[in-house]
Amino acid sequence: NAGVTQTPKFQVLKTGQSMTLQCAQDMNHNSMYWYRQDPGMGLRLIYYSASEGTTDKGEVPNGYNVSRLNKREFSLRLESAAPSQTSVYFCASSDGGTDTQYFGPGTRLTVL
Amino acid sequence: LAKTTQPISMDSYEGQEVNITCSHNNIATNDYITWYQQFPSQGPRFIIQGYKTKVTNEVASLFIPADRKSSTLSLPRVSLSDTAVYYCLVGVRFSGGYNKLIFGAGTRLAVHP
């Protein structure tokens, strides 16, 4: 049981480039989430998906798009990266009926 | 969603009990209180959750007074490996099973030898 996996672990982009962060969970969870964490700060919710086929904006959605590909996978896309998007990105999932979210190891993204 | 307030940092020594208090004055009836732990370069990890009174598991205890406007995470006999950031969150259980959690800056606990 791998839990929540994220790829890549590290990424450096130039301003204006695009990329997709991948997330997968093998716990059969309905809900999945994308957060960003800036240095010394708490996590901020970007987007979430309550169930397969649905996505909703979180606290800081601007500049991002998401796709809930199937129950297992939830991807985050940056169409035109900006230096302000330099951060660590965490994916999480949760089971129905509980607040416990399980987090992946994170992707450290730097935009130059 | 209710906002939480907790100390920015705390220091302790190995073997001591550590109590981290979180204030959530505007907690709603449906909100649960959840604590997460985060080590550097890792994602947060669930520690404990409660609604009222006291909850205990193999890692920690959570004390919640009757008015639920605050809660205290208690870590018994801390070790160096408990050095981490601890987040207090309140969240609502939606019927669909998902939840929107608001993470604050957390409390940086440093355990010294």
Side-chain angles (χ1 to χ4, degrees):
Chain A
N1 225 3
V4 179
T5 57
Q6 294 182 235
T7 55
K9 285 186 167 51
F10 302 93
Q11 183 70 50
V12 178
L13 293 177
K14 295 181 180 178
T15 297
Q17 287 185 317
S18 62
M19 79 159 295
T20 299
L21 282 65
Q22 306 288 353
C23 174
Q25 52 92 8
D26 61 3
M27 295 174 281
N28 202 36
H29 287 169
N30 286 317
S31 304
M32 298 185 73
Y33 314 80
W34 275 106
Y35 293 88
R36 62 176 287 175
Q37 185 174 35
D38 299 328
M41 307 287 287
L43 282 76
R44 291 185 292 172
L45 183 65
I46 304 172
Y47 271 93
Y48 64 99
S49 170
S51 60
E52 185 178 353
T54 68
T55 61
D56 283 288
K57 295 178 180 179
E59 188 183 354
V60 288
N62 291 343
Y64 305 95
N65 285 301
V66 291
S67 296
R68 183 73 183 269
L69 305 170
N70 48 57
K71 192 171 185 178
R72 289 188 65 248
E73 298 171 290
F74 189 38
S75 63
L76 178 72
R77 182 161 178 83
L78 286 72
E79 290 292 351
S80 179
S84 61
Q85 294 177 304
T86 293
S87 190
V88 180
Y89 291 84
F90 290 102
C91 176
S93 69
S94 69
D95 193 9
T98 174
D99 292 334
T100 304
Q101 294 189 13
Y102 296 85
F103 286 81
T107 294
R108 189 172 296 273
L109 175 67
T110 301
V111 183
L112 302 175
Chain B
L1 295 174
K3 180 181 176 181
T4 60
T5 303
Q6 52 185 123
I8 294 174
S9 64
M10 294 182 69
D11 289 276
S12 184
Y13 293 91
E14 284 189 292
Q16 289 188 335
E17 178 184 72
V18 171
N19 295 311
I20 306 175
T21 297
C22 178
S23 172
H24 28 79
N25 291 320
N26 297 322
I27 189 169
T29 304
N30 291 339
D31 285 344
Y32 282 71
I33 300 154
T34 311
W35 286 79
Y36 283 79
Q37 174 191 56
Q38 186 178 27
F39 297 113
S41 302
Q42 294 186 25
R45 183 175 73 103
F46 171 86
I47 301 176
I48 197 166
Q49 181 183 82
Y51 184 79
K52 61 181 178 180
T53 63
K54 176 184 174 182
V55 179
T56 298
N57 62 22
E58 64 278 5
V59 176
S61 294
L62 179 60
F63 299 91
I64 305 169
D67 66 6
R68 302 197 333 120
K69 293 185 183 299
S70 67
S71 59
T72 299
L73 174 72
S74 181
L75 304 172
R77 297 179 298 282
V78 294
S79 64
L80 296 176
S81 62
D82 292 315
T83 294
V85 179
Y86 293 83
Y87 296 98
C88 165
L89 303 98
V90 292
V92 178
R93 290 185 178 185
F94 294 94
S95 60
Y98 67 95
N99 55 85
K100 294 173 68 173
L101 300 178
I102 306 295
F103 283 81
T107 297
R108 292 186 177 278
L109 173 65
V111 179
H112 305 282

